[in-house]
Amino acid sequence: MNKMTTTVQQFYLLMEGKLSPALSGKYFDAINPSNGEVFAQMADADSIDVQMAVSAARLGFDHGRWPQMGMAERGEFLIKIASLIRENAKELADLECASTGKTIKHTTFIDVPTAAEAFEYFGHLPGNLVHETVRHSAPVLSTVQREPVGVVVAIIPWNYPLIMTAWKLAPALLAGNCVVLKPSPTACASVMLLAKLAAQAGLPKGVLNIISSSRPEAGQELVSSPEVDMVSFTGSTKTGEAVMALASKGIKKLTLELGGKSPNIVFADCDMEAALGGALSSIFMNQGQMCTAGSRLLVEDKIYQEFVEKLVARAQNLKIGPADNFETEFGPLVSIEHRNIVLKFIEKGKQEGAKLACGGNVPNINPKGAYLEPTIFTHVRNTMSIAQEEIFGPVLCVMPFTSADEAIHIANDTKYGLAAMVWTKDLEKANKVARRLRCGTVWVNTYGAFLNEVPFGGYKQSGFGRELGLTGFWEYTQIKHIATDQTPGGKSLVTSWF
Ligand code: NAD
């Protein structure tokens, strides 16, 4: 934390509909993990800024027009934000790349368009969705409608800042809530540019507040505020536990999108090229820093050796380098601190008896960057900590299996339940296996197919609640039944009981 002294780009908080520095005037550095350089400075919200953001949302909800507007009118603001995202796509992709270390190819072709598409999908949802059913049991007319929850606090992690922001803001705002969003201080520059675009979209005062803060307490302050009605949290399972405890005070509505240790099950009758590509992408895209990373690869023993040899060869061929180069396939991790945590897991894996088939070292690219080789462990037992803990880095644990039952047993033998992959040409078998896997998403002969229409979320300690789809939209609503006796003055059974 320091006073602004350099000329790098500065980003402000979005409070009460306008951009402003933190009250203290403090900023914190945004560091590019490709080279260790400071590329931006972020306004650093203190406790007072956090309180002001929540109060602005409270006022916006209790006294503003937003909750009363029709869905179509609110949807127009979302469409406007989407078009501003598309107009500023390059700057957003550059910032997402500089803050996370995700390759520029990834941020350009996945993160920015996916964020815009989420705003477009929710922005175009038909308004009649909030009136669920109407039943006329004469003389009483019953209507059931969905209403906004109130003030929503949205907290997101550093691995997909733009997409996570869009997945939370679009449905929460469409439902008529007023929102305070807090990105992770580790990577928040793209989100604070999005805050600027949201201000340009002209959302009414207090409807959306976005605050960056280097203080670990900022999230706790938001979740604990008595002015908040709902918390929508995405992050690690450990932090999710703390958030759940804090949200219990005041009985706040809560959704938790947490960690994963997803199994990738490869049967001998798979299309090997496709399965190799899927296995590689699922653990080495975004340098393995994905909640749905296929970090446990289960390969049927008949093809185990051939599959692992081919996979190792392909992992060793990935082009590692600075994330802003379009040729780079594998950039740095998000920070040197995070890389050190991943390196400790690698050491632990070796001590536990797993064998390094490739990687495990810091490549000679830039000592100030957070680089790490794609790493594959064989001779892994599912009880080892590298097979049970979410490493959140490019570290793959490979294990053989002999039968579908055994694969399913290993796959489910984890505290997590976010996603799984199954590779086989036998779709009947795939379907049977998919039904027995205890997780929120199963991808068959594919990986990472996220659709705006389809809910995404976890089983077990991967959390509860869903993002995306109508289910994701409904998370941000509560249900009201209005029963009206339509006879003048009311003459129903209840009023004539005594
Ligand atoms: P994290 O849990 O450390 O932090 C997430 C967010 O919570 C950050 O904004 C952080 O500042 C904030 N925070 C920290 N302590 C808090 C507290 N006590 N109260 C409230 N907020 C607090 O996670 P991370 O390291 O930023 O991200 C990686 C994790 O996110 C991984 O576990 C990954 O699996 C998970 N993740 C899950 C999904 C999903 O959809 N299930 C998606 C992306 C990432």
Side-chain angles (χ1 to χ4, degrees):
M1 251 188 289
N2 52 13
K3 292 264 179 194
M4 237 291 287
T5 48
T6 63
T7 53
V8 295
Q9 197 176 1
Q10 269 182 295
F11 289 91
Y12 297 133
L13 314 175
L14 174 61
M15 307 265 275
E16 298 187 23
K18 35 182 212 302
L19 299 169
S20 55
L23 272 184
S24 65
K26 283 187 289 189
Y27 290 82
F28 64 96
D29 292 339
I31 295 169
N32 184 339
S34 288
N35 53 28
E37 286 170 14
V38 174
F39 68 93
Q41 291 199 309
M42 320 304 305
D44 198 355
D46 265 333
S47 194
I48 180 78
D49 303 291
V50 170
Q51 277 174 38
M52 282 168 60
V54 175
S55 297
R58 189 74 260 167
L59 263 175
F61 188 80
D62 292 343
H63 302 288
R65 208 166 69 79
W66 188 253
Q68 270 73 49
M69 273 185 196
M71 246 175 77
E73 198 180 345
R74 288 195 295 259
E76 279 170 26
F77 283 99
L78 302 188
I79 304 295
K80 176 81 184 147
I81 294 174
S83 62
L84 287 166
I85 290 176
R86 292 194 186 280
E87 281 166 33
N88 293 274
K90 183 171 181 327
E91 202 184 342
L92 283 165
D94 287 346
L95 284 175
E96 182 89 342
C97 168
S99 24
T100 61
K102 213 180 302 175
T103 63
I104 187 71
K105 197 170 152 191
H106 191 301
T107 63
T108 302
F109 296 113
I110 298 179
D111 299 81
V112 176
T114 304
E117 283 159 19
F119 278 104
E120 283 156 358
Y121 165 74
F122 285 105
H124 284 121
L125 280 185
N128 59 6
L129 281 174
V130 282
H131 299 286
E132 255 196 347
T133 52
V134 177
R135 183 159 174 251
H136 201 170
S137 166
V140 177
L141 176 74
S142 274
T143 61
V144 175
Q145 65 194 47
R146 288 182 179 267
E147 298 188 340
V149 183
V151 171
V152 173
V153 156
I155 297 181
I156 60 160
W158 47 256
N159 64 333
Y160 280 88
L162 273 179
I163 295 178
M164 297 293 103
T165 297
W167 285 8
K168 292 198 187 298
L169 288 190
L173 292 175
L174 182 72
N177 300 286
C178 292
V179 181
V180 181
L181 180 130
K182 190 197 87 65
S184 164
T186 307
C188 56
S190 57
V191 176
M192 298 323 288
L193 174 58
L194 188 64
K196 191 172 160 189
L197 302 179
Q200 280 172 27
L203 287 164
K205 203 173 157 185
V207 168
L208 176 60
N209 307 271
I210 305 187
I211 49 173
S212 48
S213 177
S214 68
R215 294 175 316 114
E217 305 80 29
Q220 295 164 35
E221 290 161 4
L222 284 170
V223 177
S224 317
S225 168
E227 293 189 285
V228 168
D229 299 298
M230 173 177 175
V231 178
S232 170
F233 175 82
T234 300
S236 63
T237 295
K238 187 162 174 266
T239 310
E241 279 177 357
V243 167
M244 193 167 171
L246 286 175
S248 70
K249 190 120 203 281
I251 318 293
K252 290 171 183 132
K253 189 169 181 187
L254 178 65
T255 61
L256 294 174
E257 298 289 342
L258 307 176
K261 193 76 188 175
S262 299
N264 197 352
I265 305 173
V266 178
F267 285 98
D269 60 356
C270 68
D271 175 322
M272 193 174 288
E273 270 311 296
L276 280 167
L280 208 68
S281 305
S282 76
I283 187 63
F284 296 135
M285 257 175 97
N286 195 12
Q287 293 71 256
Q289 301 162 126
M290 299 181 291
C291 53
T292 53
S295 49
R296 291 183 302 144
L297 176 64
L298 315 182
V299 186
E300 192 166 351
D301 50 6
K302 289 177 213 153
I303 58 162
Y304 180 85
Q305 199 170 339
E306 182 189 356
F307 195 89
V308 174
E309 277 169 16
K310 286 185 169 163
L311 190 70
V312 167
R314 287 179 66 164
Q316 285 172 325
N317 260 338
L318 289 174
K319 285 194 200 94
I320 312 180
D324 62 356
N325 182 341
F326 262 96
E327 301 296 307
T328 296
E329 294 174 318
F330 189 90
L333 272 62
V334 74
S335 66
I336 291 198
E337 294 72 29
H338 183 60
R339 182 189 63 192
N340 291 342
I341 294 172
V342 177
L343 279 168
K344 276 196 186 139
F345 270 111
I346 293 173
E347 271 318 301
K348 199 154 190 198
K350 290 191 219 163
Q351 284 162 17
E352 285 177 320
K355 292 224 161 69
L356 267 181
C358 69
N361 298 307
V362 171
N364 187 11
I365 293 172
N366 179 340
K368 292 191 177 150
Y371 298 94
L372 178 62
E373 290 170 348
T375 300
I376 299 179
F377 272 115
T378 57
H379 298 76
V380 177
R381 287 187 313 279
N382 200 45
T383 48
M384 291 177 178
S385 57
I386 54 167
Q388 288 294 325
E389 299 301 320
E390 185 187 43
I391 299 175
F392 218 57
V395 181
L396 180 63
C397 296
V398 196
M399 290 170 268
F401 68 87
T402 51
S403 67
D405 280 346
E406 190 192 1
I408 292 163
H409 174 76
I410 298 171
N412 285 336
D413 186 13
T414 162
K415 67 183 177 190
Y416 296 108
L418 195 57
M421 284 68 72
V422 180
W423 300 86
T424 168
K425 287 184 193 146
D426 179 347
L427 295 188
E428 205 181 315
K429 175 166 76 180
N431 195 28
K432 279 189 190 150
V433 172
R435 283 168 188 278
R436 290 174 61 196
L437 293 170
R438 294 199 59 217
C439 58
T441 298
V442 182
W443 286 301
V444 175
N445 295 333
T446 184
Y447 172 71
F450 289 96
L451 298 171
N452 285 314
E453 297 78 6
V454 177
F456 168 72
Y459 281 23
K460 302 194 271 182
Q461 292 186 37
S462 291
F464 52 78
R466 291 292 179 268
E467 309 244 49
L468 298 177
L470 293 186
T471 315
F473 171 60
W474 284 331
E475 297 284 2
Y476 294 98
T477 65
Q478 52 195 342
I479 294 174
K480 180 178 282 172
H481 171 203
I482 302 178
T484 309
D485 186 329
Q486 297 200 302
T487 48
K491 288 203 172 35
S492 72
L493 198 62
V494 171
T495 49
S496 59
W497 187 263
F498 295 109

